[in-house]
Amino acid sequence: MKATESEFLSFTFTGKKVRWAQKCLDRFKYRILKLTSRRWGVSMQHRLRKLAQYIRGWMGYFRLSEYHRPIPLLDQWIRRRIRCCFLKQWRKPKTRFKNLVRLGVDKIVTIQH
């Protein structure tokens, strides 16, 4: 087996570059799905604390990787999941309207959506 085809401690080696393994990225996404599940009945403060703790640990472990291309896409995906959790928590339309206006969204845009 070549060194370029091997995997060690969730890292793969391609040429001179160190990357994280695809299996590890899949596990990361699965864990984020669990932490941002809209069925998990915990406060947003607890959810965000656990999410930040997990992401900080994962990024700290893989910081020496030279593969950063998917990080902005992962960031967008995680932010969208968090927004979905907030909208699920604001069940009633009146509450959604009030909280979105409080966050600075235009009233007309809020009413249309």
Side-chain angles (χ1 to χ4, degrees):
M1 177 182 263
K2 294 181 180 179
T4 58
E5 299 170 357
S6 65
E7 186 176 315
F8 183 69
L9 296 175
S10 298
F11 287 100
T12 58
F13 307 98
T14 55
K16 295 181 180 180
K17 294 188 178 190
V18 178
R19 296 183 173 197
W20 59 70
Q22 184 61 38
K23 259 194 317 190
C24 186
L25 182 61
D26 293 340
R27 282 193 308 263
F28 173 76
K29 287 181 179 180
Y30 180 75
R31 181 71 189 269
I32 296 297
L33 279 173
K34 290 294 181 187
L35 289 171
T36 59
S37 172
R38 291 175 294 284
R39 295 174 49 192
W40 190 27
V42 296
S43 69
M44 282 302 290
Q45 183 180 11
H46 178 73
R47 181 189 314 264
L48 293 175
R49 189 178 326 116
K50 288 293 184 185
L51 192 61
Q53 181 182 12
Y54 180 69
I55 292 171
R56 201 170 30 249
W58 196 85
M59 293 303 265
Y61 182 78
F62 288 103
R63 72 179 173 267
L64 53 101
S65 170
E66 298 166 358
Y67 184 56
H68 304 291
R69 185 176 301 160
I71 291 176
L73 294 175
L74 285 172
D75 182 51
Q76 291 173 3
W77 177 69
I78 292 168
R79 288 173 188 265
R80 187 176 71 241
R81 300 276 309 171
I82 292 170
R83 283 192 301 270
C84 289
C85 291
F86 273 112
L87 287 175
K88 175 74 173 185
Q89 197 174 44
W90 305 332
R91 292 182 179 197
K92 295 181 180 179
K94 185 177 178 180
T95 307
R96 285 185 185 181
F97 177 80
K98 183 178 69 173
N99 287 326
L100 287 172
V101 169
R102 186 183 304 157
L103 289 172
V105 178
D106 190 30
K107 289 183 182 182
I108 296 172
V109 173
T110 305
I111 292 169
Q112 290 174 351
H113 294 285

